[in-house]
């Protein structure tokens, strides 16, 4: 929280035992990349045209999703969906972390 990577829900609520949604994990990776000095601006404004459920992405998560899709960190969940509000499974988080790590080598 001190570095602004994980900010909680606001109103003093942090939710450390809550499951993470796909948009939350993408946003954490995005903020961490910025913290580490990685240029995230290349993908921040790219359209998410390959997905038909982007209207469900929270406003605060849109730049992170655009960056993560552009960088190849996250893909859809099938049927043209990116499923931002769904909980991220262990395998999805592991895949995102591996792709993030590979991007920075």
């Amino acid at each position: 929280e001190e570095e602004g990577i994980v900010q909680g829900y606001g109103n003093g609520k942090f939710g450390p035992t809550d499951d993470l949604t796909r948009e939350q994990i993408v946003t954490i990776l995005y903020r961490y990349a910025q913290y580490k000095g990685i240029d995230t601006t290349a993908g921040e404004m790219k359209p998410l045209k390959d997905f038909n459920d982007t209207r469900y992405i929270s406003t605060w998560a849109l730049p992170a999703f655009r960056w993560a899709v552009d960088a190849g960190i996250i893909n859809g969940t099938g049927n043209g969906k990116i499923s931002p509000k769904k909980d991220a499974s262990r395998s999805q988080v592991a895949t995102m972390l591996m792709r993030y790590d590979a991007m920075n080598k």
Side-chain angles (χ1 to χ4, degrees):
E1 182 179 24
E2 185 175 311
E3 302 300 336
I5 296 168
V6 180
Q7 298 176 350
Y9 298 110
N11 297 325
K13 186 172 182 204
F14 197 72
T17 60
D18 293 353
D19 291 336
L20 289 173
T21 64
R22 289 170 54 85
E23 70 181 359
Q24 289 170 326
I25 190 67
V26 164
T27 301
I28 290 169
L29 288 174
Y30 170 76
R31 290 178 182 157
Y32 183 72
Q34 290 176 322
Y35 169 74
K36 295 301 277 181
I38 295 168
D39 182 11
T40 59
T41 59
E44 286 176 342
M45 298 307 294
K46 292 201 175 186
L48 295 167
K49 62 182 185 251
D50 295 336
F51 307 103
N52 58 30
D53 62 345
T54 57
R55 67 186 174 278
Y56 300 113
I57 299 173
S58 297
T59 305
W60 51 264
L62 264 172
F65 260 105
R66 290 177 177 141
W67 165 77
V69 168
D70 185 61
I73 293 170
I74 191 169
N75 295 321
T77 55
N79 297 323
K81 296 184 183 296
I82 198 146
S83 306
K85 303 290 187 208
K86 284 192 152 200
D87 289 342
S89 69
R90 292 176 89 152
S91 63
Q92 289 171 342
V93 172
T95 300
M96 286 184 244
L97 291 172
M98 288 179 10
R99 289 176 180 160
Y100 176 87
D101 185 53
M103 175 187 86
N104 294 302
K105 289 190 176 188

